[in-house]
Amino acid sequence: MTDDVSHDKRALRAELRERRRICTAKEREESEAGITANLVELATRLGSTSVAAYLSTTDEPQTRGFLRWACEHDITVLLPISRADGLLDWAPYDGEGEDKDLIGMPAPTSEVLGPIAINDVDLIIVPAASVDRTGMRMGWGRGYFDKTLGSMETKPPVYAVIFDNEYVESVPTEIHDQPVNGIVTPSGIVTITEHN
C-alpha cells in the first residue's frame, strides 16, 4: 500500500515539476503579483506580527514580494535552513543576505535560532507540490515541513502557497503527511479547515 502511495506521489511530483518548469515568464510575473497581494491580505487579515515562511526558488510561486512587504511593515520573518537530521533550523530574514543550505535551498545568512524558534510565530507559510480539498498537503518528498509541523504542540494557521491548478480533489497521502489550514494561490485565499 505504502509503495503504491509513494509511487503515486513520485509520478504526481514529476508532472507538477514539469508543469512549473514550462511556465512562461509572463505567467510567472502575473502569478507573482497575485501571490504577493494574497499573502499580504492573509497576514493583514490575521493581524500577523511574526511569520515563518520560505524563500521561493525560480520555479515556485514567488514569496519574495511578500517577504519584502513583511520586512517593510516590521513583521518578524523566520526562514528555514535544512539540517542533516531532517529538521529545520530557523533564522530571521532582513531582506538582505541569502545563501544555499545543505540541500541547495535558498536560506538566510543571519543568526541561526534552532528548530523551536517557529513556536513563536503567528502564521506559517509553507511550500507544497499540491494540496487537496481536505487540506492535505503533498510536499516535494524530503519531509522537512511535515516533521516540523508534526512536532509542534500547538500551531498557528498554516497556509501552503501553490499555483491555482495545484489545488486538487485529492492527493496521495501517507501517515506522516501534515494538513494545512488553507492555501494561497495567484487568484485567491482558500481557508480549508481549522484542524490543529
Side-chain angles (χ1 to χ4, degrees), residues 21-174:
R21 193 186 64 72
I22 62 174
C23 200
T24 68
K26 185 178 187 312
E27 288 170 328
R28 282 185 204 288
E29 199 175 296
E30 287 170 358
S31 75
E32 182 173 0
I35 294 272
T36 299
N38 291 327
L39 282 169
V40 166
E41 182 187 329
L42 177 66
T44 303
R45 185 192 307 164
L46 295 175
S48 301
T49 59
S50 58
V51 177
Y54 62 98
L55 287 163
S56 49
T57 62
T58 309
D59 289 345
E60 289 181 304
Q62 290 301 301
T63 58
R64 291 163 187 272
F66 167 70
L67 297 176
R68 277 190 300 277
W69 173 86
C71 289
E72 289 164 6
H73 288 81
D74 296 322
I75 294 173
T76 302
V77 176
L78 296 182
L79 300 178
I81 301 171
S82 309
R83 295 175 15 158
D85 62 5
L87 297 176
L88 292 171
D89 277 327
W90 296 88
Y93 183 60
D94 55 9
E96 297 296 321
E98 189 179 314
D99 203 352
K100 297 237 184 278
D101 67 16
L102 66 91
I103 63 167
M105 298 306 290
T109 55
S110 52
E111 177 195 359
V112 176
L113 302 177
I116 64 168
I118 194 175
N119 292 339
D120 298 328
V121 302
D122 51 34
L123 173 62
I124 300 175
I125 305 294
V126 296
S130 189
V131 175
D132 74 17
R133 306 280 183 233
T134 70
M136 282 312 300
R137 170 192 170 271
M138 185 179 80
W140 293 105
R142 296 181 188 269
Y144 282 97
F145 283 96
D146 286 322
K147 282 187 191 109
T148 297
L149 297 174
S151 70
M152 295 177 77
E153 211 167 287
T154 58
K155 287 191 278 286
V158 179
Y159 280 74
V161 180
I162 55 176
F163 290 113
D164 292 300
N165 61 7
E166 295 166 349
Y167 184 40
V168 298
E169 279 306 314
S170 66
V171 294
T173 304
E174 294 173 281

